[in-house]
Amino acid sequence: MDAVRVALLREVLAGTEWLGATRRFAGVLRGSVVSHGGGLLLVGTEEYEPWHLAAHLVDEAAWSGTPELAPTLVRHDARPSDPAHLAVGPGRLAAARRGETLLVVAPRGPGAPLLERVYDARRGGATVLALGPGEGELTAMAHETLAVPDGSELDLDTVQHLVSAAAGENAVPSAPRVRRRFRDGLSRLAESLTAPPPARW
């Protein structure tokens, strides 16, 4: 779904709770990864891998100048012979630590093996976000959930488009951040050069 279609969809959804809900969730996602300098892990269930969301987040990361949004896609059937970006298996979740963000996309409640990995990630200090039915053990473990229950006006794929677009749009562009750090450094240098020499006793 391109930017024009997302804009049209937002017009249709004006006045509903979906726009605010997807923007809030995107804000939590963006805030978590940007504040920690990246470390976004994205995983689905064995039956549903969020390929499209991974691709859209990579695009948004590039377009918005926010590389932290680019995720590592964790795959249930990853093999060592796969290309590096597709070879990350579920064991990576158990190794997640503080400063990393785990986004779980599950059309239905995930099975026990995935829940155990998510629990390991949370216990290790990772921030857990969930897109899914909005009930069950995953919701109880997540720090933030965007519920997309069966029978909703929008399906899970459409909600993912709205979330990824909002995450990129609301990002602070990287160039101003760099310029600000550069200006701050120049300011500190100027202060140190113009400061009087230390008194000698």
Side-chain angles (χ1 to χ4, degrees), residues 86-103:
L86 299 176
V88 179
R92 176 64 179 85
L93 302 182
R97 294 293 175 258
R98 185 172 306 282
E100 293 184 296
T101 302
L102 172 58
L103 175 55

Side-chain angles (χ1 to χ4, degrees), residues 22-179:
T22 53
R23 284 189 166 128
R24 276 191 301 275
F25 188 82
V28 172
L29 169 62
R30 183 185 64 253
S32 181
V33 297
V34 170
S35 65
H36 292 108
L40 175 58
L41 302 171
L42 175 63
V43 68
T45 62
E46 290 187 19
E47 300 79 23
Y48 182 91
E49 289 194 335
W51 292 95
H52 282 100
L53 180 56
H56 285 300
L57 285 171
V58 168
D59 289 343
E60 293 295 341
W63 294 333
S64 67
T66 312
E68 300 92 340
L69 284 173
T72 296
L73 180 62
V74 177
R75 301 178 57 230
H76 293 274
D77 60 351
R79 297 179 299 270
S81 59
D82 290 335
H85 68 291
L86 299 176
V88 179
R92 176 64 179 85
L93 302 182
R97 294 293 175 258
R98 185 172 306 282
E100 293 184 296
T101 302
L102 172 58
L103 175 55
V104 184
V105 181
R108 287 168 295 284
L114 178 56
L115 287 171
E116 287 173 17
R117 303 280 190 175
V118 173
Y119 176 75
D120 290 340
R122 177 166 176 137
R123 190 174 53 189
T127 300
V128 177
L129 309 179
L131 265 172
E135 57 186 15
E137 292 181 64
L138 176 60
T139 299
M141 272 190 267
H143 293 92
E144 186 77 22
T145 300
L146 179 55
V148 190
D150 281 338
S152 296
E153 300 90 343
L154 300 182
D155 61 20
L156 188 59
D157 287 340
T158 302
V159 170
Q160 290 175 71
H161 284 294
L162 291 169
V163 167
S164 60
E169 283 178 355
N170 294 319
V172 178
S174 60
R177 282 204 314 248
V178 171
R179 279 198 291 272

